[in-house]
């Protein structure tokens, strides 16, 4: 098999491996983290297991009639949060700057459910407070809410919430005078609500993310449905439920007491859910713990302001490429300041990147083309060597090496032409994550039916156009072929194989790209067109130079 054909086949396998490893396939949990996790076959609701509350602790404030509950609302400039006196939990989060359709605001909690319900652990029992009706007081500025059981001055249980100026809900739990307290649990069994009308790729886009020992792990919803995860951990930082563009995360403030977690799919919505527990073998007369609940966009820039590596919640691809994804995202934002249409932004980005990369790669491309031309020139001599030594492969190899050295031919010179494609691969991976998951790309439209460039092209027009461009490009920039009457049998076979590969590769790329964001396909199509013209121009220069030399 001719070496360029073999290289093309290997490259196709490499493309499949890269996309399967970094785009289609969820990242595996590292062994170090896996050792500390115990997988389970069914979701564990730590709040519902043996839930026993003891009315004697709560006095006259205990009421379990849902009809007597109240909803209290706190809001800032970017979000509106509803709290329920039933359990003193969060009933709903509405994001003022993000809509689902028309004037319908994005909500993060499934309707009729709550998150952050509290359970208290005792030596032999546990008290679930999710059906306990709390008293409450609201601060003058309407940014802080306090729920309490018992006397307001010396409550048995106190839960406070305060909104910051972004998407943070700072909360604290204070428990006292309840005998021996061995810990608490916060219930996020409701999970995160759907915020998009198109949820075909939910199993891939939705994730349970957590950070332990300064290392973050991401589990796709598809994996959670097959095998929920739970375990005992040390040095817990945060855990998050993430949809495609939004997240509900809980980060613990020091001292870190959470040491158990469950991550699974909610049985009703099918979306990621979690329970977090802080347990102690030694009982305490008082228990105090502080948290940050982040409920908002899974935006890298916003999350990074909260520290604790919470920017890892945002999807920016594999760790070794996050810097490149961040660079691309920032550059696209910069272009968007001057170009209101993200389709135009991607086209301009493609042209700029193509210009930069082809300029850098031009010496390599030139060497590859020159090597191809030289190899074609000595093909008759190489065929003569094969006929002279038909049964002596060692003699063939020795004479061919000598011939190539005499004519200054590098046997691997033609392989250099594939380097630009390999260089472009990390850019494709990073751009995929930016275009698919960056909040700026949510509902970013181009023209016609391309109303959301983060989604695949529903009519496959862009993938088909990309494949056609690749076929034209292969004919456009193919190296010159000698007269067929002067070609050796090996050259004829190589030409036939090359022609076949020029069709197989685009077809394969169509099936790879048809399920990827249309913005990514638009980028690759424009990039290919511009690169083809640059290569064609370079090839003409080399031919002219070769003609003059002769």
């Amino acid at each position: 098999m001719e070496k360029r054909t073999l290289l093309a086949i290997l490259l196709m396998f490499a493309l499949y491996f890269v996309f399967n490893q970094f785009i289609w396939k969820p990242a595996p949990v590292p062994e170090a983290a896996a050792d500390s996790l115990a997988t389970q076959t069914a979701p564990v609701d730590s709040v519902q297991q043996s839930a026993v509350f003891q009315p004697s602790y709560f006095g006259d404030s205990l009421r379990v009639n849902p009809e007597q509950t109240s909803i209290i609302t706190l809001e800032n400039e970017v979000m509106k949060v509803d709290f329920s006196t039933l359990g003193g939990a969060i009933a709903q989060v509405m994001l003022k700057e993000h809509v689902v359709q028309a004037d319908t605001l994005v909500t993060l909690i499934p309707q009729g459910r709550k998150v952050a319900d509290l359970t208290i652990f005792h030596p032999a029992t546990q008290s679930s407070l999710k059906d306990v009706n709390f008293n409450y007081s609201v601060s003058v500025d309407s940014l802080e809410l306090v729920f309490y059981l018992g006397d307001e001055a010396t409550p048995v249980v106190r839960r406070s919430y305060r909104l910051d100026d972004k998407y943070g809900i700072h909360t604290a739990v204070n428990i006292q005078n309840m005998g021996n307290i061995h810990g608490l649990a916060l219930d996020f069994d409701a999970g995160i609500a759907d915020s998009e009308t198109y949820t075909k790729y939910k199993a891939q886009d939705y994730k349970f993310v957590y950070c332990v020992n300064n290392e973050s792990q991401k589990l796709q919803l598809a994996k959670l449905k097959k095998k929920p995860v739970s375990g005992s951990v040390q040095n817990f930082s945060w855990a998050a439920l993430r949809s495609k563009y939004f997240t509900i995360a809980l980060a613990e403030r020091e001292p870190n007491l959470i040491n158990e977690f469950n991550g699974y799919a909610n049985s009703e919505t099918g979306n990621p859910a979690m329970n977090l527990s802080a347990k102690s073998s030694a009982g305490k007369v008082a228990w105090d713990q502080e948290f940050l609940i982040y409920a908002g966009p899974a935006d890298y820039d916003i999350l990074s302001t909260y520290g604790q590596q919470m920017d890892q919640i945002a999807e920016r691809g594999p760790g070794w490429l996050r810097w490149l994804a961040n660079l691309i995202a920032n550059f696209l934002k910069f272009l968007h300041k001057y170009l209101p249409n993200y389709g135009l932004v991607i086209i301009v980005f493609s042209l700029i990147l193509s210009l930069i990369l082809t300029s850098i790669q031009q010496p390599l491309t030139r060497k590859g083309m020159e090597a191809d031309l030289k190899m074609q020139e000595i093909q008759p001599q190489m065929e003569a060597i094969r006929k002279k030594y038909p049964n002596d492969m060692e003699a063939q190899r020795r004479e061919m090496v000598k011939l190539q050295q005499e004519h200054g031919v590098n046997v691997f010179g033609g392989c250099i032409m594939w380097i630009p494609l390999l260089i472009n691969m990390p850019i494709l991976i990073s751009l995929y994550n930016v275009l698919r998951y960056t909040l700026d790309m949510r509902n970013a439209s181009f023209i016609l039916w391309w109303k959301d460039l983060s989604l695949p092209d529903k009519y496959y027009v862009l993938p088909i156009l990309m494949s056609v461009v690749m076929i034209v490009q292969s004919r456009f920039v193919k190296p010159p072929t000698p007269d067929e009457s002067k070609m050796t049998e090996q050259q004829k076979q190589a030409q036939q194989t090359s022609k076949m590969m020029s069709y197989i590769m685009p077809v394969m790329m169509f099936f790879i790209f048809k399920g990827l964001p249309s913005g990514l396909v638009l980028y690759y199509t424009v990039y290919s067109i511009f690169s083809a013209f640059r290569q064609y121009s370079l090839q003409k220069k080399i031919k002219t130079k070769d003609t003059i030399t002769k």
Side-chain angles (χ1 to χ4, degrees), residues 103 112 154 301 321 341 359 363 377 459 473:
D103 296 327
T154 57
D301 294 327
L321 278 179
N341 186 296
S359 298
E377 290 175 359
Y459 298 122
Q473 182 184 17

Side-chain angles (χ1 to χ4, degrees), residues 395-427:
Q396 278 190 29
R397 185 195 65 80
R398 184 174 60 252
E399 291 299 319
M400 285 186 180
V401 169
K402 182 180 178 181
L403 177 65
Q404 289 165 359
Q405 289 175 345
E406 289 175 354
H407 289 79
V409 176
N410 183 352
V411 67
F412 296 108
C415 303
I416 296 176
M417 295 180 64
W418 296 100
I419 293 178
L421 183 58
L422 296 177
I423 293 175
N424 202 28
M425 193 56 61
I427 297 173

Side-chain angles (χ1 to χ4, degrees), residues 432-499:
Y432 165 83
N433 288 288
V434 170
L435 295 181
R436 189 177 184 90
Y437 297 111
T438 301
L439 189 66
D440 294 333
M441 296 305 301
R442 183 174 185 257
N443 298 324
S445 63
F446 182 30
I447 56 174
L448 302 176
W449 60 86
W450 294 297
K451 302 300 183 183
D452 190 339
L453 291 172
S454 70
L455 298 177
D457 184 347
K458 60 182 178 181
Y459 298 122
Y460 300 145
V461 172
L462 280 176
I464 292 172
L465 177 61
M466 182 201 68
S467 300
V468 171
V469 167
M470 290 185 68
I471 293 174
V472 174
Q473 182 184 17
S474 66
R475 314 302 297 173
F476 204 40
V477 300
K478 68 176 182 177
T481 57
D483 188 345
E484 187 173 350
S485 61
K486 298 179 180 180
M487 291 173 63
T488 64
E489 287 300 319
Q490 186 178 14
Q491 283 180 304
K492 291 179 181 179
Q493 183 181 1
Q495 288 295 322
Q496 186 65 28
T497 305
S498 178
K499 184 178 179 180

Side-chain angles (χ1 to χ4, degrees), residues 168-325:
I169 306 171
H170 300 266
T171 181
V173 179
N174 311 102
I175 308 167
Q176 58 184 350
N177 300 324
M178 289 188 67
N180 265 343
I181 304 167
H182 285 261
L184 59 79
L186 291 174
D187 174 18
F188 289 78
D189 178 69
I192 188 167
D194 294 323
S195 58
E196 312 304 312
T197 56
Y198 187 87
T199 57
K200 180 179 179 180
Y201 296 96
K202 179 193 291 190
Q204 176 181 341
D205 295 336
Y206 286 38
K207 292 181 175 69
F208 171 58
V209 193
Y210 61 95
C211 182
V212 176
N213 294 324
N214 294 320
E215 291 187 4
S216 62
Q217 312 297 336
K218 297 180 181 181
L219 291 91
Q220 289 184 343
L221 178 59
K223 186 173 183 179
L224 282 180
K225 287 183 175 180
K226 292 179 180 179
K227 187 178 292 185
V229 64
S230 67
S232 299
V233 297
Q234 294 180 341
N235 300 320
F236 173 89
S237 293
W238 49 262
L241 309 174
R242 210 194 72 202
S243 61
K244 185 177 182 180
Y245 295 111
F246 302 97
T247 185
I248 297 176
L250 183 133
E252 186 174 17
R253 298 316 191 195
E254 293 184 354
N256 294 350
L257 301 177
I258 289 180
N259 50 21
E260 290 185 10
F261 74 92
N262 304 308
Y264 53 93
N266 178 275
S267 58
E268 296 179 8
T269 65
N271 293 348
M274 65 181 178
N275 295 131
L276 305 170
S277 304
K279 295 181 179 179
S280 173
S281 57
K284 300 180 181 180
V285 296
W287 192 283
D288 300 298
Q289 213 164 347
E290 295 185 9
F291 310 92
L292 164 72
I293 297 176
Y294 178 92
D299 182 84
Y300 178 89
D301 294 327
I302 300 175
L303 286 164
S304 62
T305 63
Y306 288 95
Q308 293 183 254
Q309 301 183 49
M310 289 188 69
D311 52 42
Q312 299 285 332
I313 297 172
E315 186 59 68
R316 289 293 170 90
W320 60 282
L321 278 179
R322 286 180 71 86
W323 67 272
L324 182 57

Side-chain angles (χ1 to χ4, degrees), residues 76 79 143 162-170 292 306:
N76 57 21
M79 70 175 176
L143 290 178
R162 178 178 57 83
L163 305 188
D164 61 23
D165 59 350
K166 295 188 285 291
Y167 297 95
I169 306 171
H170 300 266
L292 164 72
Y306 288 95

Side-chain angles (χ1 to χ4, degrees), residues 12-49:
M12 286 196 296
F13 280 108
L15 281 170
Y16 177 81
F17 173 79
V18 169
F19 276 84
N20 187 60
Q21 188 70 19
F22 298 112
I23 293 179
W24 298 326
K25 183 180 177 181
V29 179
E31 294 182 3
D35 291 341
S36 65
L37 302 179
T39 58
Q40 56 191 40
T41 57
V44 175
D45 188 342
S46 60
V47 175
Q48 295 180 353
Q49 283 187 344

Side-chain angles (χ1 to χ4, degrees), residues 47-73:
V47 175
Q48 295 180 353
Q49 283 187 344
S50 305
V52 179
F53 59 82
Q54 303 179 24
S56 60
Y57 290 133
F58 309 133
D60 295 335
S61 66
L62 176 62
R63 297 194 300 270
V64 293
N65 185 355
E67 296 179 358
Q68 299 175 349
T69 63
S70 301
I71 296 295
I72 305 97
T73 300

